[in-house]
């Protein structure tokens, strides 16, 4: 879908010449910008302009594939809440809720078990807040966790949220390690090694990496995960992170751009494509340790959904609406099969003190 440009009263200003012009002016006036700065602005712009989801948009996410995805998450949360003793006051908190589909499916499924939390949506785009309002009218919206109530346990969900946060990249140049920055060569933007030495920011085990090695990190995701851990420790609850990523540390850039369901150059047309980077689950595990909460997983999305009974749910839905049976099986396959979203997408949970072992993560805590 082409972003429409008419972003409504709270959207970006009409003097929106395009982010490209803004970046060129900025780089011309003050020098190269970091990859993190580039990604942060490009995504803020991208999500501020349009509803990018679905077949007609740029990409499709699990909750948009089938209601079964949100339902499984709702059942998982309701099960946690029940086994924690059904606290009367609890909060459903979702980061980056997109169209609100996941929240709406999860809350409907949870309600059947008496799970009726207050609903808090953390969303940066005012345009998407309006879309979410249509499906989840009872919600309150927040810029971050800070304004979410500090009393009552938090049941937190973040699906394909952390991957949208800006990554910082450090690259090994001839002269040493440098921040990876973005310049404009008169024709296009491109990433290069910056001027400022970064050698002290590189772990000693990696310091001698070959020229061209890239180390990627996501300070924004790390900061947010730590904030979540601290809040779970203080007020109880659980957090589910679902995203595509890796569980053992790796090097190299994972920055990618998707537009109209095609991979495109992340440095072309900033603000018109969705920029993502793989989530570092090993780092999220470290952060749980630092924040003193238990960490479950990561496990593959496919294995997790199957353990929660998505197969039986698909069969039940197909039985009640045979005309949809084929479509349901196709959706199920997309969500769980290893060739599709089943293994690249992973599920990890943080668990506050005293909260039960989560379904689908096996017996042991990692
Ligand atoms: N969870 C949804 C949408 C994923 S896309 C789904 O699975 O369909 C990423 C979402 O995060 C969008 O709603 C986007 O507007 C929001 N977002 C991205 N960066 C953000 C930030 N820094 N703060 C708040 N929301 C952000």
């Amino acid at each position: 879908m082409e972003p429409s440009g008419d972003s409504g009263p709270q959207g970006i200003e009409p003097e929106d010449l395009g982010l490209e012009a803004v970046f060129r002016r900025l780089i011309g006036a003050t020098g190269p910008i970091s990859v993190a700065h580039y990604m942060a602005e490009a995504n803020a712009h991208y999500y501020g302009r349009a509803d990018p989801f679905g077949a007609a948009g740029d990409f499709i996410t699990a909750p948009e594939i089938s209601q079964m995805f949100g339902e499984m998450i709702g059942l998982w949360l309701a099960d946690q809440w029940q086994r924690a003793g059904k606290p009367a006051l609890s909060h459903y908190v979702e980061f980056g809720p997109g169209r609100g589909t996941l929240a709406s499916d999860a809350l409907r499924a949870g309600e059947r078990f008496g799970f009726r939390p207050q609903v808090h949506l953390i969303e940066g785009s005012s345009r998407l807040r309006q879309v979410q309002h249509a499906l989840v009218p009872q919600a309150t919206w927040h810029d971050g966790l800070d304004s979410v109530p500090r009393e009552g346990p938090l049941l937190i969900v973040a699906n394909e949220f952390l991957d949208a946060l800006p990554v910082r990249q450090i690259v090994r140049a001839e002269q040493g390690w440098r921040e990876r920055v973005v310049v404009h060569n008169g024709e296009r933007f491109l990433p290069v090694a910056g001027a400022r030495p970064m050698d002290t920011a590189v772990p000693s085990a990696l310091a001698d990496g070959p020229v061209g090695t890239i180390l990627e990190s996501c300070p924004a995701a790390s900061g947010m995960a730590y904030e979540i851990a601290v809040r779970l420790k203080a007020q109880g609850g659980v957090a589910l992170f679902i995203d595509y990523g890796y569980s053992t540390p790796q090097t190299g850039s994972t920055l990618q751009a998707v537009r109209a369901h095609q991979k495109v150059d992340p440095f072309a047309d900033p603000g018109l494509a969705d920029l993502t980077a793989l989530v570092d689950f090993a780092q999220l595990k470290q952060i749980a340790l630092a924040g003193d909460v238990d960490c479950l997983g990561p496990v593959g999305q496919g294995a997790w959904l199957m353990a929660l009974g998505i197969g039986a749910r698909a069969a039940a839905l197909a039985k009640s609406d045979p005309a949809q049976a084929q479509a349901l099986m196709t959706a199920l396959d997309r969500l769980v099969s290893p060739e599709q979203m089943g293994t690249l997408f992973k599920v990890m949970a943080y668990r506050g003190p005293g909260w039960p072992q989560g379904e689908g993560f096996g017996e042991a805590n990692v």
Side-chain angles (χ1 to χ4, degrees), residues 40-100:
E41 278 310 317
N43 268 351
H45 210 77
Y46 178 74
Y47 287 109
R49 290 178 69 108
D51 172 356
F53 308 102
D58 287 323
F59 59 94
I60 189 156
T61 56
E64 303 299 332
I65 290 173
S66 167
Q67 69 184 71
M68 297 185 288
F69 182 77
E71 287 172 350
M72 291 299 125
I73 288 173
L75 292 180
W76 191 89
L77 295 175
D79 176 59
Q80 286 283 313
W81 170 82
Q82 268 189 343
R83 289 195 285 142
K86 305 187 181 181
L89 173 67
S90 65
H91 306 279
Y92 174 94
V93 182
E94 188 176 339
F95 283 83
R99 280 182 173 167

Side-chain angles (χ1 to χ4, degrees), residues 44-206:
H45 210 77
Y46 178 74
Y47 287 109
R49 290 178 69 108
D51 172 356
F53 308 102
D58 287 323
F59 59 94
I60 189 156
T61 56
E64 303 299 332
I65 290 173
S66 167
Q67 69 184 71
M68 297 185 288
F69 182 77
E71 287 172 350
M72 291 299 125
I73 288 173
L75 292 180
W76 191 89
L77 295 175
D79 176 59
Q80 286 283 313
W81 170 82
Q82 268 189 343
R83 289 195 285 142
K86 305 187 181 181
L89 173 67
S90 65
H91 306 279
Y92 174 94
V93 182
E94 188 176 339
F95 283 83
R99 280 182 173 167
T101 310
L102 194 166
S104 148
D105 292 336
L107 292 165
R108 187 186 63 248
E111 196 171 358
R112 279 187 246 128
F113 295 87
F115 176 50
R116 285 185 202 85
Q118 290 187 11
V119 179
H120 304 275
L121 301 182
I122 297 175
E123 174 56 67
S125 155
S126 51
R127 176 86 179 243
L128 284 175
R129 284 186 183 196
Q130 288 171 23
V131 177
Q132 292 154 14
H133 186 266
L135 276 184
V136 199
Q138 74 273 38
T140 46
W141 278 263
H142 302 263
D143 293 329
L145 203 49
D146 210 40
S147 52
V148 171
R150 287 169 191 274
E151 217 170 286
L154 306 177
L155 294 109
I156 299 176
V157 180
N159 183 62
E160 286 206 52
F161 170 73
L162 297 174
D163 68 0
L165 299 180
V167 288
R168 176 189 203 189
Q169 295 183 337
I170 303 178
V171 58
R172 174 69 207 245
E174 294 286 352
Q175 317 86 325
W177 291 90
R178 299 283 188 269
E179 174 137 23
R180 205 165 180 232
V181 296
V182 180
V183 296
H184 196 277
N185 67 2
E187 274 176 25
R188 49 166 308 215
F189 295 105
L190 69 166
V192 298
R196 194 159 9 115
M198 280 286 169
D199 301 86
T200 52
V202 176
S204 51
L206 296 167

Side-chain angles (χ1 to χ4, degrees), residues 207-228:
D208 290 332
V211 169
T213 305
I214 293 173
L215 300 180
E216 195 173 82
S217 60
C218 190
S222 300
M224 228 168 268
Y226 186 70
E227 199 186 349
I228 288 171

